[in-house]
Amino acid sequence: MSGPDDTRTVYDGKLIDVVVERWGDAERELVEHPGAVAIVAVDRDDNVTLVRQFREATRKELVELPAGTINEGEEPLATAKRELEEETGLRGGEWNEVAAFWSTPGFCKERLTIFVADGVEPSGKQNLDAGEAVELVRWPVTNIASRLGDVEDAKTLAGLLLYLRLRAL
């Protein structure tokens, strides 16, 4: 399939842009996003570390995998390692990319890459961005399946389910 007949930017933001593409007689509004990563971080005691943070779009706190946006020119693995240490104070371990997928392809060009980091350990403390409030949440790996109902974030559900599948193989 070829590309759009015409594209115009209608919003030029700090993190995202919104473009309108014309495909024949149809117009589509699309969110341009640089991509993001999420990490299933499992420590040496077989606990997965998640973060609880307020999300303005949902008007409430969500439990999520540590995650972040890819900086221009940055490789997804470098983003994942940086974000994990900033949000949780964890680093090291054995890293594997387990999936990459479109978060919401009906209107957004965000591509998410999920990593599993096994055997992570504390590096010190969190190094959060200004205004970022993140509470660490640890679940024993054996409790992940029973806690999935507590998760309302798609990337977190996908990451945890992929991790459980890999663990079962």
Side-chain angles (χ1 to χ4, degrees):
M1 178 176 244
S2 62
D5 300 323
D6 181 51
T7 302
R8 70 184 189 283
T9 301
V10 295
Y11 175 77
D12 184 10
K14 293 178 185 175
L15 174 63
I16 63 160
D17 295 339
V18 178
V19 299
V20 175
E21 294 184 349
R22 187 173 51 79
W23 295 73
D25 292 335
E27 284 193 341
R28 300 286 184 256
E29 296 168 349
L30 301 173
V31 175
E32 299 272 358
H33 189 282
V37 299
I39 308 99
V40 180
V42 181
D43 64 26
R44 295 177 190 268
D45 296 326
D46 235 15
N47 293 304
V48 64
T49 296
L50 300 109
V51 295
R52 179 179 290 118
Q53 58 188 328
F54 183 79
R55 292 300 197 175
E56 289 82 359
T58 65
R59 308 295 197 259
K60 63 183 186 177
E61 289 184 337
L62 297 180
V63 174
E64 304 176 41
L65 291 176
T69 302
I70 298 171
N71 291 332
E72 187 174 337
E74 191 175 37
E75 291 297 318
L77 179 59
T79 302
K81 289 181 176 185
R82 173 179 54 77
E83 286 290 341
L84 182 66
E85 189 163 7
E86 285 176 7
E87 289 190 4
T88 68
L90 297 171
R91 67 175 171 197
E94 182 181 323
W95 288 73
N96 291 294
E97 180 180 325
V98 294
F101 53 87
W102 301 103
S103 65
T104 47
F107 69 91
C108 185
K109 293 185 180 180
E110 179 186 38
R111 188 147 173 91
L112 271 159
T113 305
I114 304 286
F115 292 91
V116 169
D118 263 319
V120 295
E121 45 194 39
S123 66
K125 63 178 186 168
Q126 295 168 293
N127 183 19
L128 302 174
D129 293 333
E132 197 173 28
V134 174
E135 176 190 345
L136 299 184
V137 176
R138 289 191 174 81
W139 293 343
V141 166
T142 55
N143 290 359
I144 291 174
S146 66
R147 299 298 304 262
L148 291 175
D150 298 332
V151 178
E152 296 182 80
D153 174 64
K155 73 180 174 305
T156 300
L157 285 169
L160 293 174
L161 288 167
L162 287 163
Y163 175 75
L164 290 175
R165 180 176 169 261
L166 288 171
R167 193 168 162 93
L169 296 178

